[in-house]
Amino acid sequence: MGEFDLIERFFWRPAGQGPRRAVVGNGDDCAIIAPAPGMHLAVSTDTLVEGRHFLSTVDPARLGHKALAVNLSDLAACGAKPLAFTLALTLPRVDEAWLAGFAQGLLALADAHDCELIGGDTTAGPLAIGITVMGEVPAGQTLLRSGARAGNDLWISGWPGLARLALEAFRGTLQPALTSDDFDTARRAMECPEPRVALGLALRGLASAAIDVSDGLLGDLGHLLRRSQVGATVVLDALPVHPVLAARPVSQQHDCLLAGGDDYELVFTAPPEHRARLLALGDSLGLPLTRLGAITATPGLQLLQGELDVWPDDAPPQPVSNRWTSFDHFKS
């Protein structure tokens, strides 16, 4: 099977299949897209490399899902609605069964978010997947990392930490090992994350800043704090702990929650007057939204042990040393 046969068989959408909004789509030298009037174009690129971002044993349908999901997560963090994406696929060989599964997972998620595959490239080499995704957001409503203000609340969506727990299970470091059901739950979180697109859209006008968690909660929060030139307090007892993770030692819980990465949840800030609306939003989406702490005027990140908002005179908050670092491709 040649390169163009591969594209036509697995990634070309016949008329009537998939979203159609590009002026010129897949099959020309360039795709042409036209954002609606009053909209800005949001663009993000991510690359997944075998052995670095995913295991060789991953189900190809889940890999196709995740390859697009991590890009849609970036759009979600900016409050952008998905429009289209390109796919650059590097393959060591043509494996038709693998390609069928990969394309099924990729295009199922694309269709679920009305996001059109409009072009890309295929080449031979070590397995790597590069996706560039495009979305639109009304002018002036983009969520940025630079919008956090002192006095804002700090929030996180969903159940972070499960992906890191699955990784440690694959590494064989967990004692005791996970049960079969718990491993399946953690593995699904790692291999098949759900991008929080609906949440990102709903946060327009509520959140002041946002970022998605790809390299670890504390590390990604640090990027937001630096761009906003503010600090934060994070109360460890306020962290949302999934029941699977709650069964593990507390130190392991903190490792997974604070420095795990691969969660693709949203960390965001919002004025305190929006608390009730945010809790109602989480209920409407069926997605836990958890308040973790607050933004401070003094730069830096402070970890506290105690109960959020409850600081009795005889039990002041206790600072916790930050021993966690987030993932970095080029640091030891």
Side-chain angles (χ1 to χ4, degrees):
M1 181 180 293
E3 175 183 0
F4 298 102
D5 300 318
L6 183 158
I7 294 170
E8 184 170 353
R9 177 169 175 182
F10 296 105
F11 301 107
W12 181 266
R13 313 300 300 278
Q17 287 189 11
R20 286 285 192 277
R21 61 164 53 88
V23 178
V24 177
N26 197 353
D28 228 296
D29 287 301
C30 288
I32 308 298
I33 58 176
M39 293 288 187
H40 285 172
L41 193 64
V43 182
S44 181
T45 298
D46 268 299
T47 301
L48 302 184
V49 178
E50 184 179 30
R52 190 69 169 177
H53 299 95
F54 60 91
L55 303 175
S56 61
T57 55
V58 67
D59 178 87
R62 287 191 172 187
L63 180 59
H65 172 105
K66 183 172 182 176
L68 181 58
V70 302
N71 285 270
L72 294 179
S73 180
D74 286 330
L75 292 184
C78 288
K81 180 182 178 181
L83 288 177
F85 70 102
T86 63
L87 169 67
L89 188 59
T90 304
L91 297 168
R93 63 190 178 281
V94 175
D95 181 333
E96 295 184 28
W98 187 95
L99 281 163
F102 177 84
Q104 185 275 325
L106 177 85
L107 296 175
L109 184 64
D111 290 351
H113 290 281
D114 196 29
C115 191
E116 183 179 358
L117 175 58
I118 58 173
D121 187 34
T122 57
T123 190
L127 181 58
I129 306 149
I131 287 181
T132 296
V133 71
M134 288 146 272
E136 61 181 9
V137 59
Q141 294 187 33
T142 307
L143 299 176
L144 301 174
R145 300 177 182 183
S146 56
R149 298 292 180 263
N152 283 177
D153 291 332
L154 177 65
W155 296 78
I156 191 168
S157 66
W159 300 105
L162 288 177
R164 172 63 180 272
L165 189 65
L167 179 61
E168 295 305 324
F170 276 115
R171 288 172 170 171
T173 66
L174 299 183
Q175 295 296 331
L178 294 175
T179 66
S180 177
D181 287 346
D182 286 353
F183 176 65
D184 287 345
T185 297
R187 182 176 186 176
R188 180 172 182 82
M190 180 178 80
E191 295 180 344
C192 206
E194 289 299 328
R196 304 306 186 189
V197 174
L199 173 61
L201 296 177
L203 287 177
R204 295 176 187 167
L206 290 176
S208 53
I211 188 171
D212 75 327
V213 180
S214 56
D215 296 326
L217 167 58
L218 294 188
D220 289 316
L221 173 58
H223 298 320
L224 185 151
L225 298 180
R226 284 189 289 274
R227 290 298 298 269
S228 294
Q229 299 182 4
V230 293
T233 57
V234 173
V235 181
L236 298 186
D237 292 357
L239 291 167
V241 184
H242 189 279
V244 170
L245 193 57
R248 312 304 300 182
V250 172
S251 62
Q252 191 176 94
Q253 293 177 31
H254 288 164
D255 289 345
C256 292
L257 287 163
L258 299 175
D262 232 13
D263 293 313
Y264 302 102
E265 297 292 352
L266 298 188
V267 171
F268 59 95
T269 62
E273 56 265 30
H274 292 333
R275 288 178 188 175
R277 292 178 64 187
L278 287 168
L279 291 174
L281 171 61
D283 289 341
S284 70
L285 295 174
L287 177 67
L289 299 181
T290 304
R291 188 162 56 92
L292 300 179
I295 300 300
T296 63
T298 303
L301 178 62
Q302 185 178 28
L303 304 181
L304 300 176
Q305 194 81 55
E307 188 175 349
L308 190 66
D309 294 335
V310 180
W311 308 121
D313 291 339
D314 60 347
Q318 298 299 307
V320 176
S321 176
N322 184 359
R323 60 178 177 82
W324 293 276
T325 58
S326 61
F327 178 76
D328 188 303
H329 284 283
F330 299 105
K331 286 186 177 180
S332 300

Coordinates of all heavy atoms in Angstrom, one line a residue, residues 1-12 87-91 94 99 120-124:
M1 N 0.8 -1.2 0.0 CA 0.0 0.0 0.0 C 0.9 1.2 0.0 O 1.8 1.4 0.8 CB -0.9 0.0 1.2 CG -1.8 1.2 1.3 SD -2.9 1.2 2.7 CE -4.0 -0.2 2.3
G2 N 0.7 2.1 -1.0 CA 1.4 3.4 -1.0 C 0.9 4.5 -0.1 O -0.2 4.3 0.5
E3 N 1.6 5.6 -0.1 CA 1.3 6.7 0.8 C -0.1 7.2 0.5 O -0.9 7.4 1.4 CB 2.3 7.8 0.7 CG 2.0 9.0 1.5 CD 3.0 10.2 1.2 OE1 3.9 9.9 0.4 OE2 2.8 11.2 1.8
F4 N -0.4 7.4 -0.8 CA -1.7 8.1 -1.1 C -2.9 7.0 -1.0 O -4.0 7.4 -0.7 CB -1.6 8.7 -2.5 CG -0.6 9.8 -2.5 CD1 0.6 9.6 -3.1 CD2 -0.9 11.0 -1.9 CE1 1.6 10.6 -3.1 CE2 0.1 12.0 -1.9 CZ 1.3 11.8 -2.5
D5 N -2.6 5.8 -1.2 CA -3.6 4.7 -1.0 C -3.9 4.7 0.5 O -5.1 4.5 0.9 CB -3.1 3.4 -1.4 CG -2.7 3.3 -2.9 OD1 -3.5 3.9 -3.7 OD2 -1.7 2.7 -3.2
L6 N -2.9 4.8 1.4 CA -3.1 4.8 2.8 C -4.0 6.0 3.2 O -5.0 5.8 4.0 CB -1.7 4.9 3.5 CG -1.6 4.8 5.0 CD1 -0.2 4.4 5.4 CD2 -1.9 6.2 5.7
I7 N -3.7 7.2 2.7 CA -4.5 8.3 3.1 C -6.0 8.1 2.7 O -6.9 8.4 3.4 CB -3.9 9.6 2.5 CG1 -2.5 9.9 3.1 CG2 -4.9 10.8 2.7 CD1 -1.8 11.0 2.4
E8 N -6.2 7.7 1.4 CA -7.5 7.6 0.9 C -8.3 6.5 1.6 O -9.5 6.7 1.9 CB -7.5 7.2 -0.6 CG -8.8 7.2 -1.2 CD -8.8 7.1 -2.8 OE1 -7.7 7.2 -3.3 OE2 -9.8 6.9 -3.4
R9 N -7.6 5.4 2.0 CA -8.4 4.3 2.7 C -8.7 4.6 4.1 O -9.8 4.3 4.6 CB -7.5 3.0 2.6 CG -8.2 1.9 3.3 CD -7.5 0.6 3.0 NE -8.1 -0.5 3.8 CZ -7.7 -1.8 3.8 NH1 -6.7 -2.1 3.0 NH2 -8.2 -2.7 4.5
F10 N -7.8 5.3 4.9 CA -8.0 5.4 6.3 C -8.4 6.8 6.7 O -9.1 7.0 7.8 CB -6.8 4.9 7.1 CG -6.5 3.5 6.9 CD1 -5.4 3.1 6.1 CD2 -7.2 2.5 7.5 CE1 -5.2 1.7 5.9 CE2 -7.0 1.2 7.4 CZ -5.9 0.8 6.5
F11 N -8.1 7.8 6.0 CA -8.3 9.2 6.5 C -9.1 10.1 5.6 O -9.4 11.2 5.9 CB -6.9 9.9 6.8 CG -6.1 9.1 7.8 CD1 -5.0 8.4 7.4 CD2 -6.5 9.1 9.1 CE1 -4.3 7.6 8.4 CE2 -5.8 8.3 10.1 CZ -4.7 7.6 9.7
W12 N -9.5 9.6 4.4 CA -10.3 10.4 3.5 C -11.8 10.1 3.9 O -12.2 9.0 4.0 CB -10.1 10.0 2.0 CG -11.0 10.8 1.1 CD1 -12.2 10.4 0.6 CD2 -10.7 12.0 0.5 NE1 -12.7 11.4 -0.2 CE2 -11.8 12.4 -0.3 CE3 -9.6 12.9 0.7 CZ2 -11.8 13.6 -1.0 CZ3 -9.6 14.1 -0.1 CH2 -10.7 14.4 -0.9
L87 N -3.1 16.2 10.4 CA -2.4 15.0 11.0 C -1.1 14.8 10.3 O -1.1 14.6 9.0 CB -3.3 13.8 10.9 CG -2.7 12.4 11.2 CD1 -2.3 12.3 12.7 CD2 -3.7 11.3 10.8
A88 N 0.0 14.7 11.0 CA 1.3 14.3 10.4 C 1.6 13.0 11.1 O 1.9 12.9 12.3 CB 2.4 15.4 10.7
L89 N 1.6 11.9 10.3 CA 1.8 10.6 10.8 C 3.0 9.9 10.2 O 3.2 9.8 9.0 CB 0.5 9.8 10.4 CG 0.4 8.4 11.0 CD1 0.4 8.4 12.5 CD2 -0.9 7.7 10.4
T90 N 3.9 9.6 11.2 CA 5.2 8.9 10.8 C 5.0 7.4 11.2 O 4.8 7.2 12.4 CB 6.4 9.5 11.5 OG1 6.5 10.9 11.2 CG2 7.7 8.9 11.0
L91 N 5.2 6.6 10.2 CA 5.0 5.1 10.5 C 6.2 4.3 10.1 O 6.8 4.5 9.1 CB 3.8 4.6 9.6 CG 2.5 5.3 9.8 CD1 1.5 4.9 8.7 CD2 1.9 4.8 11.1
V94 N 3.5 0.0 7.1 CA 2.1 0.0 6.9 C 1.4 -1.2 7.5 O 1.6 -2.3 7.0 CB 1.7 0.1 5.4 CG1 0.2 0.1 5.2 CG2 2.2 1.4 4.8
L99 N -3.8 0.8 11.5 CA -4.3 2.0 11.0 C -5.8 2.1 11.1 O -6.3 3.2 11.3 CB -3.8 2.1 9.5 CG -2.4 2.6 9.3 CD1 -1.9 2.3 7.8 CD2 -2.3 4.1 9.6
G120 N -2.7 17.1 6.1 CA -1.6 16.6 6.9 C -0.5 16.0 6.0 O -0.3 16.4 4.9
D121 N 0.2 15.0 6.6 CA 1.3 14.4 5.9 C 1.5 13.0 6.4 O 1.2 12.7 7.6 CB 2.6 15.2 6.1 CG 3.7 14.7 5.2 OD1 3.5 14.2 4.1 OD2 4.9 14.8 5.6
T122 N 2.0 12.1 5.6 CA 2.5 10.7 6.1 C 3.9 10.5 5.6 O 4.3 10.9 4.5 CB 1.6 9.6 5.5 OG1 1.5 9.7 4.1 CG2 0.2 9.7 6.1
T123 N 4.7 9.9 6.4 CA 6.1 9.5 6.0 C 6.5 8.3 6.8 O 5.9 7.9 7.7 CB 7.0 10.7 6.3 OG1 8.3 10.5 5.8 CG2 7.1 11.0 7.8
A124 N 7.6 7.7 6.4 CA 8.2 6.5 7.0 C 9.2 6.9 8.0 O 10.0 7.9 7.8 CB 8.8 5.6 6.0

